[in-house]
Amino acid sequence: MKRISATSTLGLAALALAWAGAAGAAETIKIGVNEPLTGAVAASGNYVTDGARIAADEINAKGGLLGKKVELVIDDNKSNPTEAVAVAEKLIVRDKVPVMMGAWSSTYTLAVMPKLMEYGVPMVVETSSSGKITVSGNPWIFRISPTSEMEARAFSGLADKFGIKKADFLVVNNDWGRGAGAAFAKMLKGKGIAVGVTETMDAGAQDLSAQLAKIKASGADTVFLTTGVEQITLVLKQAKALGIKARIITTGGSSAPNQLIAQAGSAANGSYHILFFAPWFPQSAPNPGVAQHFVDEWNKRGLNFAGLTEGFRGYDGIMTIAAGIRAAGKAEPDAIRKALWGVHVKGVNGNISFIKQGPAGKESGQNVPNVYVVEIKGGKVILPKL
Amino acid sequence: MSRALGLAWLALLVTLPAWMDDPYCLHVLIVTGIFVIAAMSLNLLLGYTGQLSLGHVAFFGIGAYTSALLSLGFDLDVGGGRTLLVGPHPVWLAMLGGVAVAGLFGWVIGRLSFKVRGAYFVIVTISFAEVVRLVALNWIDLTQGPMALNAIPPLSVSIPGLWELTFYKKVPNYYVVLAVAAFSYLIIRRLVRSRAGRAMVALKENEPLAASVGIDVTHYLVVAAVVSAAMAGAAGVLYAHYVRIIDPDVFLFIYTVTMVIMVITGGKGTLAGPVVGGLVFGIVPEVLRELAAPEVQWIVYGALMILIVFFLPRGIVPAVTGLWARITARPPLVERRPAE
Amino acid sequence: MGELLQHVVNALILGGTYALLGIGLTLIFGIMGVVNFTHGELYTFGAYMMVLFAMVLGVNFFVALGLAIVLGVAMGAAVEIALLRPMRGADIDTTMLVMIGAWIIMQNSEQWVWSGVAKSVSSPFPDEPLVIGPVSLSWLRLFVMGAAIALIVGAHLFIHRSRLGKAMRATFQDRDTAALMGVDIDAVHTATFALGSGLAAAAGALLGPVFVVTPTMGNLAALKAFAIVILGGLGNFTGAALGGFILAFVEELGAGYISSGYRDTMGFMLIILVLLFKPTGLFARAERIG
């Protein structure tokens, strides 16, 4: 019975702590950042967040937004959709952010979307590629990254130049991988190119020899690979070890080719990568000044060069949000939402603006970005000669 | 006196939304409450019958997935070109289904424990949880695998066709969790103080002796396992309909470890232990979020666990109780055996 | 046919490292009666030591390997002396909880120090595989298999030829009698834990360069080690060695012909089946240790 008094005391203390911890706010404009900083796709999440920080610092150096400093509230969704939802809830309810950016993988973004509807907070989607995101009638979503369909369409011309006769797919087992596999398969079939096997892999799987053995036996000349950079490294190494001769083309833009060269060594040679920013050739970007400036700032901070291919997403995302806040005139979710429809941002990838997508009356915003293809040859990244 | 304290404590919790309306605070308390229910259920197996079931999160997750699937409806290709079609069910019915299925698996584990004991039992239970996780991850047709089960309907009660009350907001969810927690507490208290409870403790203390005195060891183990699993399943059900999304990571071993930490540090084999442990380990991480990186926090919890096992082997609650008893200079009600 | 051969070769190579993991754990489990939750963490530790020496400090690959193993042994001894020795008389639950606490501390320390981003270890072996007919063998993996077998043989010799090894076997057979006979049980326990941990670290150091190194890589490895221990029987050296290969075969063939997604499930299904039908392990008749 004395136990209950023990419970009371401790419980009260715990509650008091919680109450104290929940208090407190400062006079800044907060932007939420919901990214995977640990877990299976941590490399990418960290690159995107680094890019976001560069953008925020640049804005603050120029005087901030609406007279106040920009504060990024960065939270780790641990490469997990349930955690992404918890992070979104925390950012909205506890930190009271009027807008956020996230959540990297299509699965996490799809998971977060109901929360955006529930609380009425807009989110700029910087990486996710599943078509479902912008057509499910969620007016709080604004995506600057391309859908897998757009990627496949942009690649369509190159399929002929590569001379692909039969292609296999090796994709990560989630909305992103499966969506990309489906979109590219549809595009290939539309051109009369044969599709071989489609193998999936768990995001955290390290031993892919079983899938690769099947791909080797299928006789395809090309393998489309869609997954995070850590797993691409594993696939390249293991494919080489198994003596697979098919050319590997990665999709999704998260392949960080320099990281592949560093970690997979010569196994990376001969692979092709679809990207949305080519930091080796910033002058060929639609806004060369912005691109060069971003690359310089990234290098000045001593960040890993390999991360530029993804870091720009965070940069463009925050810049887009900033433009929305400026146009809205206040840091208020619905005002920002309305304002985002009218923004024109000169981003690293290109010019960013939103078109309507999805069911009438509940459209989401979608940007039409640029797509690049590079090749790794002799330990270097080059523009392929096709 | 203790009755009054208990009621005062309850009153505090019941009136809490009135004086603390920060929705994030409520959110933390709701999730903590769910974990407390799970910890209490683990305490029944771990603390009272002495079975180290380290696969406990499996029941939590099974309850969650079952309830979610029943309330969402699903179709399953059962081979031979036929499909099993299960339509969406009212949430309260789905919840009962979740609890029942979890309890069923508890029965299976309970029967298994008759065959293997000690370290082998630990390994079997861990393996069981891992298998369930891998099945949830790979059986995409049913569980959506890593794509997660999304848009799970919120908690609601209904009379079919007549009336429905849905709990969208935090405050009603808080009360539902509080009610289930209180109810679970009472069930465990009842069970522990009954003949069955005494038999379970006898089982933990000295199994061969208990058996020789005529206590049906298997029977009581199974009872404990079923109740424990069903309760963990109930916690899982609440989780599924509050968070409204679940993915196979809910079966990760780390969540079992969290529950174990709550029970052990709070005090296994005591009624209040898992409650205290649950509150502490549910709320402290939130408070510390600003101050320390999550890895550092976990290192502290690990160290805390080791220290408690070394110095306070029966947990916080018995230690504080003992201290309180010494301070008030009254002998403890029951002679406790000295700590090992 | 070519595919089958490739799967068989893959399984053989993987089996060696699995065997290392399993033998380490079965020794600890058998001689000390401890459910060692830190086994997976020693595996991870070995891998991170490779990252530290071979990648960060630029030490020669093979020297780094040796260092990683030696440090694994040292870490194991440290854990035993600091955490297990004071717990000597306690019941199995309490010891298990201490091990869980140690596991949490080790895994989160690794994550804190190295961050969650995966790390790669480059090896001096050529990337071009050795091709024999339809089968491709990577040089690195061949080396790993060779090293694993060498370590297994070495451990076996140690247990059978050295004094300490004999003391370990005696303790396993009958602890009290061994103590009466003058065996220093404390030393035996420390040595056993250190040896088991060293083998786990070796497995991690060997597999780190094959895959990538992450803070959570030990979780699955630990669970597989448990599976192997169950397969082979508690404390059964040869059983664990064979169990490692059996698990690798079941996984590889299951993943290749049934479903690649369920690869890891095979091991656990095996455990459950074995425990239900032959709890003493598949090789119960084989000699108890060694």
Side-chain angles (χ1 to χ4, degrees):
Chain A
M1 307 321 149
K2 311 283 195 302
R3 289 179 279 221
I4 303 192
S5 65
T7 321
S8 307
T9 336
L10 280 162
L12 268 171
L15 281 175
L17 274 174
W19 201 3
E27 226 11 89
T28 57
I29 294 196
K30 295 190 185 171
I31 300 178
V33 176
N34 185 342
E35 293 291 328
L37 302 175
T38 57
V41 288
S44 301
N46 278 288
Y47 291 147
V48 169
T49 312
D50 289 332
R53 286 198 192 97
I54 293 182
D57 291 343
E58 190 177 309
I59 296 170
N60 283 337
K62 295 203 180 123
L65 273 181
L66 307 177
K68 302 193 195 125
K69 290 259 174 237
V70 164
E71 181 191 340
L72 291 182
V73 186
I74 301 170
D75 245 315
D76 176 13
N77 64 34
K78 304 195 180 117
S79 306
N80 176 274
T82 309
E83 195 63 35
V85 173
V87 165
E89 173 109 29
K90 177 200 163 268
L91 287 172
I92 296 174
V93 173
R94 183 181 184 176
D95 300 305
K96 309 220 183 340
V97 302
V99 60
M100 58 173 160
M101 178 177 81
W104 199 82
S105 171
S106 302
T107 304
Y108 321 153
T109 304
L110 285 165
V112 167
M113 280 165 59
K115 284 286 163 192
L116 301 175
M117 292 273 276
E118 184 184 333
Y119 290 108
V121 172
M123 180 162 92
V124 167
V125 177
E126 87 297 340
T127 308
S128 309
S129 62
S130 165
K132 287 192 258 184
I133 291 172
T134 35
V135 298
S136 44
N138 188 325
W140 300 93
I141 286 284
F142 293 85
R143 169 160 49 185
I144 60 174
S145 49
T147 61
S148 296
E149 285 80 20
M150 285 175 175
E151 240 189 288
R153 219 178 308 136
F155 185 79
S156 161
L158 289 172
D160 303 313
K161 293 215 185 119
F162 272 113
I164 302 176
K165 300 279 183 304
K166 182 175 178 189
D168 285 337
F169 287 90
L170 180 57
V171 299
V172 64
N173 189 14
N174 60 24
D175 292 287
W176 172 35
R178 292 166 154 242
F184 274 81
K186 190 165 160 201
M187 180 270 293
L188 289 174
K189 286 193 189 137
K191 299 171 78 72
I193 299 176
V195 170
V197 300
T198 300
E199 286 293 310
T200 61
M201 43 193 178
D202 183 49
Q206 300 211 331
D207 193 338
L208 307 161
S209 46
Q211 289 93 329
L212 287 169
K214 283 193 230 171
I215 286 177
K216 184 176 174 188
S218 76
D221 54 59
T222 307
V223 178
F224 283 94
L225 175 60
T226 307
T227 183
V229 61
E230 293 97 334
Q231 213 163 34
I232 296 179
T233 307
L234 290 166
V235 170
L236 289 175
K237 280 165 68 163
Q238 291 172 33
K240 180 111 191 224
L242 280 175
I244 291 180
K245 295 279 176 270
R247 77 168 73 80
I248 297 180
I249 304 180
T250 70
T251 82
S254 296
S255 51
N258 285 84
Q259 183 166 330
L260 292 177
I261 295 173
Q263 298 196 336
S266 66
N269 287 332
S271 59
Y272 297 84
H273 307 276
I274 298 178
L275 298 171
F276 309 119
F277 175 45
W280 313 269
F281 324 108
Q283 297 307 317
S284 63
N287 299 311
V290 178
Q292 188 68 61
H293 167 79
F294 176 65
V295 174
D296 292 338
E297 181 61 36
W298 183 278
N299 287 330
K300 203 169 11 148
R301 292 182 181 217
L303 296 169
N304 187 351
F305 185 85
L308 275 164
T309 50
E310 285 214 77
F312 84 91
R313 304 205 221 236
Y315 182 88
D316 280 353
I318 297 298
M319 285 307 187
T320 308
I321 291 176
I325 295 177
R326 245 181 248 120
K330 50 184 166 163
E332 195 268 312
D334 200 46
I336 298 176
R337 179 185 69 82
K338 293 202 181 81
L340 278 169
W341 284 110
V343 301
H344 291 276
V345 178
K346 288 202 175 305
V348 173
N349 166 272
N351 294 331
I352 299 173
S353 64
F354 296 107
I355 59 172
K356 293 195 170 187
Q357 251 196 8
K362 295 183 276 174
E363 292 95 343
S364 311
Q366 175 68 54
N367 179 30
V368 186
N370 296 294
V371 174
Y372 308 84
V373 175
V374 300
E375 179 187 353
I376 296 180
K377 198 166 172 177
K380 294 234 178 316
V381 178
I382 62 167
L383 287 171
K385 300 186 185 14
L386 293 165
Chain B
M1 152 110 166
S2 54
R3 194 47 101 57
L5 268 173
L7 286 172
W9 184 221
L10 198 63
L12 180 85
L13 285 173
V14 169
T15 58
L16 191 135
W19 51 270
M20 184 194 289
D21 58 0
D22 178 355
Y24 191 66
C25 247
L26 274 178
H27 168 74
V28 171
L29 285 171
I30 292 172
V31 176
T32 302
I34 291 175
F35 263 96
V36 165
I37 298 173
M40 285 197 288
S41 73
L42 179 63
N43 187 29
L44 189 61
L45 266 185
L46 185 64
Y48 286 102
T49 54
Q51 298 300 313
L52 243 188
S53 161
L54 288 187
H56 212 66
V57 79
F59 304 124
F60 182 90
I62 287 174
Y65 264 98
T66 308
S67 184
L69 284 169
L70 284 175
S71 60
L72 283 170
F74 61 94
D75 56 68
L76 192 62
D77 181 7
V78 290
R82 289 183 320 195
T83 338
L84 170 70
L85 191 72
V86 174
H89 286 75
V91 173
W92 63 268
L93 193 59
M95 285 167 65
L96 286 176
V99 173
V101 173
L104 182 68
F105 276 91
W107 180 80
V108 171
I109 294 293
R111 292 226 63 102
L112 242 167
S113 73
F114 181 57
K115 286 194 147 199
V116 288
R117 288 302 174 67
Y120 287 106
F121 181 64
V122 173
I123 296 179
V124 165
T125 53
I126 297 179
S127 311
F128 168 65
E130 260 307 291
V131 169
V132 175
R133 181 182 78 85
L134 289 165
V135 167
L137 190 64
N138 286 290
W139 200 0
I140 297 186
D141 278 345
L142 180 65
T143 65
Q144 296 300 305
M147 270 80 77
L149 271 183
N150 220 332
I152 301 176
L155 291 170
S156 71
V157 289
S158 56
I159 300 173
L162 284 178
W163 160 78
E164 185 173 334
L165 183 65
T166 314
F167 305 127
Y168 285 110
K169 300 261 168 218
K170 295 243 183 306
V171 174
N173 277 288
Y174 172 78
Y175 281 118
V176 172
V177 172
L178 184 61
V180 175
F183 185 58
S184 308
Y185 184 89
L186 289 173
I187 290 184
I188 294 198
R189 198 166 79 148
R190 201 73 194 292
L191 189 61
V192 161
R193 289 182 185 178
S194 70
R195 276 192 72 187
R198 288 198 291 276
M200 288 177 200
V201 175
L203 213 153
K204 176 179 77 162
E205 302 283 330
N206 191 332
E207 193 178 313
L209 182 59
S212 74
V213 179
I215 295 179
D216 185 347
V217 165
T218 327
H219 172 72
Y220 286 113
L221 267 178
V222 172
V223 166
V226 171
V227 173
S228 171
M231 198 176 286
V237 160
L238 289 172
Y239 183 79
H241 292 280
Y242 173 67
V243 174
R244 299 179 61 189
I245 172 178
I246 39 168
D247 71 283
D249 277 1
V250 81
F251 290 108
L252 283 174
F253 184 57
I254 191 67
Y255 294 113
T256 300
V257 171
T258 311
M259 286 182 228
V260 169
I261 293 181
M262 288 176 179
V263 171
I264 298 298
T265 56
K268 65 178 178 175
T270 68
L271 283 172
V275 179
V276 170
L279 281 171
V280 169
F281 284 98
I283 296 178
V284 167
E286 283 303 318
V287 172
L288 291 184
R289 208 190 253 260
E290 314 289 313
L291 302 170
E295 294 94 14
V296 176
Q297 284 183 43
W298 273 100
I299 294 177
V300 171
Y301 301 151
L304 195 65
M305 208 164 108
I306 294 182
L307 288 172
I308 288 190
V309 169
F310 271 20
F311 299 115
L312 291 176
R314 283 175 303 127
I316 295 178
V317 167
V320 172
T321 313
L323 195 67
W324 179 262
R326 276 203 293 277
I327 291 176
T328 56
R330 259 186 278 172
L333 287 170
V334 175
E335 262 303 305
R336 295 206 154 260
R337 61 186 166 103
E340 258 93 51
Chain C
M1 188 55 193
E3 199 184 324
L4 176 62
L5 270 175
Q6 184 72 60
H7 283 305
V8 167
V9 168
N10 288 346
L12 277 174
I13 293 177
L14 203 55
T17 38
Y18 279 3
L20 266 182
L21 265 177
I23 291 171
L25 190 61
T26 207
L27 288 175
I28 295 174
F29 216 153
I31 296 180
M32 300 171 67
V34 168
V35 182
N36 181 15
F37 280 101
T38 61
H39 205 65
E41 289 317 301
L42 264 306
Y43 171 84
T44 313
F45 178 76
Y48 272 113
M49 286 299 103
M50 282 303 276
V51 174
L52 176 65
F53 290 116
M55 301 304 286
V56 175
L57 296 177
V59 172
N60 172 275
F61 182 83
F62 302 98
V63 173
L65 193 58
L67 281 171
I69 299 177
V70 167
L71 284 174
V73 171
M75 176 68 95
V79 168
E80 203 280 330
I81 295 176
L83 295 176
L84 287 176
R85 206 176 275 195
M87 289 265 110
R88 190 59 58 73
D91 56 3
I92 195 169
D93 307 6
T94 328
T95 323
M96 215 170 312
L97 295 166
V98 167
M99 290 278 94
I100 292 181
W103 168 66
I104 294 176
I105 293 179
M106 289 181 76
Q107 188 167 114
N108 283 282
S109 303
E110 258 138 17
Q111 179 147 317
W112 193 35
V113 169
W114 297 98
S115 98
V117 179
K119 302 260 181 290
S120 213
V121 177
S122 33
S123 78
F125 297 98
D127 284 323
E128 283 296 333
L130 174 67
V131 181
I132 304 177
V135 175
S136 285
L137 300 160
S138 105
W139 288 102
L140 174 62
R141 291 210 192 196
L142 276 175
F143 168 72
V144 165
M145 180 168 82
I149 292 182
L151 282 166
I152 294 173
V153 170
H156 192 265
L157 286 173
F158 173 75
I159 291 179
H160 278 261
R161 299 288 164 85
S162 72
R163 280 200 60 168
L164 193 48
K166 190 182 266 186
M168 283 163 69
R169 279 182 289 139
T171 314
F172 179 73
Q173 277 198 340
D174 189 326
R175 171 190 304 206
D176 297 321
T177 311
L180 284 171
M181 288 272 141
V183 170
D184 182 350
I185 303 293
D186 277 354
V188 167
H189 276 216
T190 310
T192 310
F193 203 88
L195 176 63
S197 303
L199 290 174
L206 286 171
L207 282 180
V210 176
F211 299 122
V212 287
V213 182
T214 63
T216 52
M217 64 194 283
N219 294 346
L220 203 55
L223 288 169
K224 292 191 185 183
F226 281 121
I228 296 168
V229 166
I230 301 291
L231 270 181
L234 215 54
N236 189 333
F237 189 106
T238 327
L242 286 171
F245 283 97
I246 292 180
L247 179 64
F249 268 90
V250 169
E251 265 188 24
E252 187 66 32
L253 294 173
Y257 292 107
I258 304 178
S259 156
S260 31
Y262 282 103
R263 179 191 191 107
D264 296 320
T265 326
M266 309 287 168
F268 304 118
M269 293 305 315
L270 258 183
I271 301 187
I272 295 182
L273 286 172
V274 170
L275 275 175
L276 284 179
F277 297 111
K278 201 157 194 273
T280 45
L282 291 175
F283 307 102
R285 294 275 199 82
E287 38 177 335
R288 293 311 308 245
I289 180 169

